[in-house]
């Protein structure tokens, strides 16, 4: 039994807690009425007027004694706050400038990047053009060769045409020859027939005479 | 022969009691603990606002995370101790984290409105984070009022927000944890804070704390809790860090506070789609990025009804809602938020 610890504060704490809660509820419920509110407002306004009077008198006295008042100090302090605000505004403008510069730099970098890419592309295109030019030259020389060959072919063609003409002429000659030959054959035939006829005629003529 | 007493009185653990009261004495006499941040570097500074970069331990995701914290408290709750830091939890999981620390607005910052906070600080901060990280898009995480600001921002910006996460976010001000008549008084104009805000210019931290305190005027349980667990060094360390943070509210720029009271609380313009920021209408239906909303089940500051409507207001096709068993602060304080974010975000972030 003697070993059991006794905490005398536990109950006290609980009792105090309950008492405090009840007292607060009581006080708040007492003050929870319109009359109390009106009275409080009267007290507040009286206190305010009293303070206003003290302040006004303080200002008057300080003015007579040529002493700065709290209001004067407040005005000076406001100037420093304004200066601080201006510095802040300037700092923000510097930020904006920094951001603009950063943006411009970024744009420039992008532009330079594009320029580099473009010059690379141009170089590649130039190489391609050189290559193409070389090929074109090759093609040109091939074309010239072809042209030459074509002109040779044309010459050959002309020769062939001449030959053809000659051949045509030769064919004409041949025809003529054939005609001549035919005529000759006809002539020969005619000639061969003429003695027979003449003979016949002679015979006919001779027969007449013989009688 | 010993006779047992009918009343059992257990013995006190004297060693434990000595440790408890030594710790209590130390807390009362020592300075508040110093909060050591995870490794970070300053990326940008404007007026009181600082943009911090917490590099990933081993970068796994190229989409960075951008934290927007509330204007009412200081964001070091997200990096309050090495063991439970939300930011360290995310950098360990491979995320590059950016945190926009609004800083402490001074008397001269009385005219900083939601318009200025969103357009001159948050939008510029996100731009800087995008430029610093070199990422194409970003995930924005808003906590508490930071979630409201992040949602408004996401609805009007053209910047590439890939994912939007909001935690314990007040969106619908027609409901709340404050008594009904308070809200009613504010909404019907019975109470107006404009003149009071004008006279202060920038609301000092003590008054911001007082505004929170009105929601729970009696606040003794944290101290009773501390005494009852003061023998536990880890608990004490955690308590002290939280206590430091709770008593270290940020001043609130007057113009922004007036806008919060009038446009958000009084007219509920964000839900109605009538809020105009820098000439642009903050319509939550413009939010089309992946969306994740986290609510705490035991939230004493933001009721679930304030967060839930955002799910219907955004146009995101990929949207998730999750309720976590935690409180408004403990979600961040315990580091629980980091695995919750990672679980949802890992599949929605680009790999590095």
């Amino acid at each position: 039994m003697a070993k059991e610890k006794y905490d005398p504060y536990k109950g006290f704490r609980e009792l105090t807690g309950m008492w405090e809660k009840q007292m607060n509820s009581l006080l708040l419920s007492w003050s929870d009425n319109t009359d109390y509110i009106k009275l409080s407002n009267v007290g507040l306004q009286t206190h305010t007027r009293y303070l206003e009077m003290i302040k006004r008198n303080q200002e008057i006295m300080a003015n007579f004694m040529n002493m700065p008042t709290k209001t004067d100090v407040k005005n000076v302090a406001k100037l420093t706050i304004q200066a601080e605000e201006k510095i802040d505004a300037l700092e923000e403008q510097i930020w904006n400038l920094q951001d603009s510069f950063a943006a411009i730099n970024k744009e420039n970098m992008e532009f330079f990047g594009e320029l580099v890419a473009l010059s690379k592309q141009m170089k590649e295109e130039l190489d391609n053009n050189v290559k193409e030019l070389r090929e074109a030259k090759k093609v040109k020389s091939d074309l010239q060769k072809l042209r030459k060959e074509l002109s040779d072919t044309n010459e050959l063609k002309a020769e062939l045409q001449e030959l053809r003409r000659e051949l045509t002429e030769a064919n004409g000659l041949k025809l003529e020859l054939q005609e001549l030959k035919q005529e000759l054959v006809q002539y020969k035939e005619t000639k061969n027939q003429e003695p027979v006829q003449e003979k016949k005629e002679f015979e006919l003529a001779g027969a007449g005479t013989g009688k | 022969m010993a006779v047992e007493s009918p009343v059992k009185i257990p013995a006190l653990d004297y060693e434990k009691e000595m440790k408890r009261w030594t710790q209590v004495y130390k807390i009362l006499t020592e300075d508040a603990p110093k909060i050591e941040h995870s490794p970070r570097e300053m990326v940008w500074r404007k007026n009181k606002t600082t943009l911090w970069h917490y590099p990933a331990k081993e970068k796994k995701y190229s989409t960075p995370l951008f934290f927007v914290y509330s204007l009412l408290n200081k964001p070091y709750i997200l990096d309050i101790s090495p063991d439970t830091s939300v930011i360290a939890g995310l950098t360990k999981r491979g995320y590059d984290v950016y945190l926009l620390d609004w800083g402490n607005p001074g008397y001269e910052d009385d005219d900083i409105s939601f318009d200025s906070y969103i357009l001159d600080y948050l939008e510029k901060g996100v731009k800087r984070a995008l430029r610093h990280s070199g990422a194409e898009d970003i995930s924005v995480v808003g906590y508490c009022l930071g979630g409201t600001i992040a949602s408004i921002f996401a609805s009007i910006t053209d910047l590439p927000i890939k994912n939007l996460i909001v935690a314990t976010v007040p969106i619908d001000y027609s409901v709340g944890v404050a008594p009904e008549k308070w809200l009613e008084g504010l909404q019907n104009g019975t109470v107006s804070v404009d003149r009071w805000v004008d006279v202060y210019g920038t609301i000092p931290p003590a008054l911001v704390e007082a505004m929170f305190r009105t929601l729970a005027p009696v606040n003794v349980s944290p101290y009773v809790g501390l005494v009852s667990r003061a023998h536990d060094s880890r608990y004490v360390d955690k308590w002290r860090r939280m206590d430091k943070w709770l008593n270290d509210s940020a001043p609130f720029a007057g113009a922004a506070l007036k806008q919060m009271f009038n446009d958000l609380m009084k007219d509920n313009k964000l839900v109605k789609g009538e809020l105009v920021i820098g000439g642009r209408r903050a319509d939550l239906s413009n939010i089309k990025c992946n969306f994740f909303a986290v609510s705490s089940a035991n939230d004493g500051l933001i009721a679930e009804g304030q967060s839930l409507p955002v799910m219907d207001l955004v146009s995101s096709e990929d949207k998730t809602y999750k309720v976590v068993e935690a409180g408004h602060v403990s979600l961040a304080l315990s580091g629980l938020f980091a695995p919750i974010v990672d679980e949802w975000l890992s599949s929605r972030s680009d790999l590095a």
Side-chain angles (χ1 to χ4, degrees):
Chain A
M1 284 292 155
K3 284 181 181 175
E4 191 184 329
K5 303 291 182 203
Y6 171 57
D7 185 359
Y9 304 97
K10 194 181 168 190
F12 180 53
R13 193 175 66 222
E14 283 170 5
L15 275 173
T16 315
M18 285 191 288
W19 175 77
E20 185 186 280
K21 208 172 174 182
Q22 285 190 354
M23 280 304 290
N24 282 330
S25 298
L26 184 72
L27 289 171
L28 290 179
S29 67
W30 275 351
S31 62
D32 191 15
N33 64 73
T34 316
D35 293 334
Y36 174 80
I37 301 300
K38 282 179 183 167
L39 191 68
S40 299
N41 194 44
V42 170
L44 193 72
Q45 300 311 326
T46 312
H47 172 70
T48 305
R49 284 200 189 94
Y50 176 69
L51 282 179
E52 278 173 351
M53 190 186 74
I54 291 175
K55 271 182 85 174
R56 202 167 43 241
N57 290 340
Q58 265 183 342
E59 290 284 333
I60 293 166
M61 289 302 289
N63 197 24
F64 282 138
M65 295 191 305
N66 206 19
M67 275 169 65
T69 61
K70 211 173 172 180
T71 312
D72 296 322
V73 178
K74 170 184 154 180
N75 292 337
V76 175
K78 275 193 183 300
L79 289 177
T80 59
I81 295 165
Q82 282 170 12
E84 205 177 30
E85 278 175 357
K86 280 175 189 166
I87 291 168
D88 267 356
L90 274 174
E91 200 179 3
E92 281 185 16
Q93 282 182 3
I94 291 167
W95 279 2
N96 292 339
L97 280 174
Q98 278 178 336
D99 290 346
S100 304
F101 284 137
I104 289 168
N105 277 345
K106 201 183 165 189
E107 275 175 22
N108 282 346
M109 288 307 287
E110 280 173 4
F111 178 66
F112 288 139
E114 277 174 23
L115 272 183
V116 168
L118 193 69
S119 58
K120 270 184 187 172
Q121 199 184 335
M122 280 175 76
K123 198 185 166 192
E124 277 172 17
E125 277 178 16
L126 190 69
D127 289 345
N128 288 340
N129 283 343
V130 168
K131 208 174 162 184
E132 279 171 14
L133 192 67
R134 209 174 288 143
E135 279 173 14
K137 274 182 183 171
K138 201 178 162 187
V139 170
K140 192 184 169 188
S141 67
D142 288 349
L143 277 173
Q144 278 175 340
K145 261 186 205 175
L146 271 174
R147 198 175 171 187
K148 201 181 165 190
E149 280 171 14
L150 193 68
S151 69
D152 289 349
T153 314
N154 282 341
E155 278 174 19
L156 200 65
K157 193 182 169 186
E159 279 175 17
L160 279 171
Q161 276 178 341
E162 211 173 311
L163 270 173
R164 197 177 172 184
R165 198 166 45 84
E166 281 174 10
L167 198 63
T168 315
E169 281 174 10
N171 281 342
L173 208 61
K174 192 181 170 184
L175 279 172
E176 277 177 21
L177 277 170
Q178 275 178 341
E179 274 175 21
L180 275 171
K181 200 175 172 181
Q182 207 174 356
E183 277 175 15
L184 193 64
V185 170
Q186 281 176 352
Y187 177 72
K188 272 180 183 176
E189 281 175 0
T190 316
K191 208 172 179 181
N192 286 336
Q193 281 176 357
E194 265 179 10
V196 174
Q197 205 160 354
E198 272 178 14
K199 195 178 170 181
K200 273 182 180 177
E201 281 175 4
F202 183 71
E203 281 176 353
L204 283 170
T209 49
K211 275 181 187 180
Chain B
M1 190 180 166
V3 179
E4 273 190 37
S5 166
V7 183
K8 292 176 186 173
I9 303 172
L12 272 177
D13 185 341
Y14 292 103
E15 200 180 322
K16 189 174 162 183
E17 291 307 312
M18 277 299 289
K19 199 175 172 188
R20 183 196 311 276
W21 292 105
T22 312
Q23 290 271 34
V24 170
Y25 177 74
K26 272 172 77 179
I27 293 163
L28 291 172
T29 53
E30 281 181 0
D31 292 335
K34 275 192 175 178
I35 308 296
E36 286 176 9
H37 303 284
S38 301
R40 65 179 186 177
E41 59 164 340
M42 195 184 81
V43 175
W44 174 62
R45 194 181 170 94
K46 180 180 176 181
N47 195 4
K48 316 295 185 300
T49 302
T50 312
L51 178 63
W52 295 103
H53 173 226
Y54 298 80
K57 295 264 186 262
E58 270 185 47
K59 196 169 173 175
K60 197 174 163 189
Y61 305 100
S62 64
T63 311
L65 265 172
F66 192 101
F67 268 93
V68 185
Y69 198 70
S70 173
L71 296 168
L72 292 154
N73 298 101
K74 293 186 178 170
Y76 64 81
I77 185 75
L78 298 169
D79 191 22
I80 199 150
S81 75
D83 299 336
T84 58
S85 164
V86 173
I87 289 174
L90 289 164
T91 54
K92 273 178 200 162
R93 286 173 171 84
Y95 297 92
D96 261 341
V97 176
Y98 291 87
L99 168 70
L100 192 70
D101 183 349
W102 301 111
N104 299 329
Y107 189 66
E108 64 279 11
D109 301 315
D110 59 340
D111 58 351
I112 301 181
S113 59
F114 269 71
D115 298 49
S116 310
Y117 271 129
I118 291 168
L119 300 175
D120 300 337
Y121 292 85
L122 179 55
E123 193 167 44
K124 286 181 193 291
V126 172
K127 262 187 204 174
R128 303 248 165 189
L130 278 165
R131 195 170 181 87
H132 183 264
S133 63
E136 286 180 2
D137 42 27
I138 198 162
S139 301
V140 176
V141 187
Y143 201 100
C144 186
L145 185 60
T148 315
I149 294 170
S151 304
I152 297 169
F153 165 64
S155 70
I156 56 167
T157 190
D158 297 325
L159 292 176
I161 299 176
K162 191 177 173 74
N163 306 295
L164 175 63
I165 301 169
V166 290
T168 64
V169 61
I171 295 289
D172 186 357
Y173 283 90
S174 64
V175 289
V177 291
E180 198 183 320
K181 295 287 177 189
W182 293 18
L183 277 173
E184 203 181 285
L186 202 67
Q187 282 159 357
N188 64 22
T190 309
V191 178
S192 173
V193 295
D194 290 5
R195 204 167 160 183
W196 174 74
V197 172
D198 285 339
V199 78
Y200 275 99
T202 296
I203 309 303
L207 287 177
V208 174
E209 275 173 44
M211 282 196 287
F212 282 120
R213 189 58 54 223
T214 53
L215 293 170
V218 180
N219 185 44
V220 290
S221 60
Y223 303 98
V224 175
L226 171 71
V227 173
S228 70
R229 291 184 66 183
H231 57 278
D232 182 351
S233 304
R234 281 189 67 187
Y235 178 83
V236 171
D237 179 61
K238 198 174 158 185
W239 187 93
R240 293 190 75 192
R241 285 170 191 273
M242 185 170 170
D243 185 58
K244 178 186 163 77
W245 180 80
L246 283 172
N247 295 314
D248 193 15
S249 292
F252 207 118
L257 190 69
K258 277 201 283 185
Q259 222 170 350
M260 193 176 91
F261 272 112
N262 295 326
D263 290 353
L264 298 179
M265 288 182 171
K266 188 181 169 193
D267 299 330
N268 207 11
K269 283 185 179 174
L270 186 57
V271 171
K272 293 176 186 166
E274 293 169 358
L275 186 69
V276 176
I277 297 290
R280 288 181 257 176
R281 198 163 68 89
D283 188 346
L284 294 179
S285 64
N286 292 337
I287 298 174
K288 294 180 176 71
C289 61
N290 305 326
F291 185 79
F292 182 37
V294 182
S295 281
S296 297
N298 309 317
D299 201 323
L301 282 176
I302 308 295
E304 197 188 342
Q306 283 186 274
S307 304
L308 198 55
V310 76
M311 298 308 290
D312 295 327
L313 293 170
V314 298
S315 308
S316 312
E317 281 179 19
D318 178 355
K319 52 184 173 183
T320 314
Y321 182 76
K322 186 170 185 166
V323 181
V324 183
E325 276 299 321
H328 185 79
V329 181
S330 66
L331 180 64
L333 185 76
S334 61
L336 182 66
F337 192 46
I340 291 170
V341 168
D342 178 52
E343 191 188 339
W344 183 83
L345 195 62
S346 56
S347 59
R348 291 167 177 87
S349 296
D350 295 330
L351 291 170

